Amino acid sequence: MRIGILTFHRANNYGALLQCYALCRALCNLGHNAEVIDYRQPVIEKSYSKVGLKDFNPLRPVRFLKSLFLPQTLTRNIRHSRFVSFRNKYINCSEKIFTPNNKIIEDYDVIFIGSDQLWNSKWTNGLDDYYWGNFRHSVNTVIASYAVSMGKTEIDEEEKERIKKLLENFDFLSVRENSLKS
């Protein structure tokens, strides 16, 4: 069976990366052809990127130059490089790179969306359609959440109505928090 995994695989976070690795590896060990769908979520990309010239602010050149040599900047860049190295070596990603502008994911029998806080609108600057299964796919593709989390218990009414509609995209649901079950 061909399985795609949608998760925070590009977050420089040990928990996110290790759960991604473990799920993909477990599915492959069960005889499936599993890979991580290489979705580049803009907010995650920005928050975990290296500090470099792209962060240059012409109005504050001295501040920028100082920031390049601060211990936390150096540590962040070293950490980033190590996570990239691990991803390149151990995470089996799709050849195709997906962005919010590309709403078509094909060629999978099953797509697992999870785990982690993919449904936490704070991390993704709103409800990200990809993590809610709101993309075009084959009619035979099964969409399933896998221990997905919102990371919060309070949801305003507007968001709650949108979520109810988005949940219709899933064939199977598995959530982390009891508060999401209702």
Side-chain angles (χ1 to χ4, degrees), residues 97-136:
I97 295 172
F98 296 87
T99 64
N101 298 328
N102 179 356
K103 297 277 186 174
I104 303 169
I105 301 179
E106 299 174 327
D107 301 328
Y108 295 102
D109 300 310
V110 176
I111 296 176
F112 283 116
I113 300 175
S115 78
D116 225 330
Q117 291 189 33
L118 303 181
W119 291 354
N120 188 334
S121 56
K122 180 178 100 178
W123 296 122
T124 56
N125 195 28
L127 302 176
D128 186 304
D129 280 346
Y130 265 90
Y131 298 132
W132 289 91
N134 195 21
F135 47 81
R136 282 192 15 221

Side-chain angles (χ1 to χ4, degrees), residues 41-72:
Q41 206 288 336
V43 178
I44 298 297
E45 290 295 302
K46 185 174 182 180
S47 64
Y48 287 102
S49 65
K50 286 175 97 171
V51 177
L53 291 176
K54 67 184 178 341
D55 302 305
F56 177 70
N57 181 344
L59 300 175
R60 298 189 159 167
V62 174
R63 185 177 189 187
F64 169 74
L65 289 172
K66 281 183 180 178
S67 77
L68 286 178
F69 298 103
L70 290 174
Q72 64 267 29

Side-chain angles (χ1 to χ4, degrees), residues 2-68:
R2 185 144 162 76
I3 300 175
I5 301 166
L6 265 170
T7 190
F8 287 154
H9 72 289
R10 293 182 54 84
N12 295 341
N13 172 294
Y14 294 108
L17 199 56
L18 290 175
Q19 71 79 22
C20 173
Y21 169 77
L23 176 59
C24 194
R25 178 93 183 221
L27 291 169
C28 288
N29 286 344
L30 290 170
H32 300 290
N33 180 6
E35 69 181 12
V36 176
I37 297 169
D38 197 359
Y39 172 54
R40 309 283 174 102
Q41 206 288 336
V43 178
I44 298 297
E45 290 295 302
K46 185 174 182 180
S47 64
Y48 287 102
S49 65
K50 286 175 97 171
V51 177
L53 291 176
K54 67 184 178 341
D55 302 305
F56 177 70
N57 181 344
L59 300 175
R60 298 189 159 167
V62 174
R63 185 177 189 187
F64 169 74
L65 289 172
K66 281 183 180 178
S67 77
L68 286 178

Side-chain angles (χ1 to χ4, degrees), residues 129-148:
D129 280 346
Y130 265 90
Y131 298 132
W132 289 91
N134 195 21
F135 47 81
R136 282 192 15 221
H137 55 82
S138 165
V139 292
N140 297 325
T141 301
V142 172
I143 307 294
S145 71
Y146 165 72
V148 74

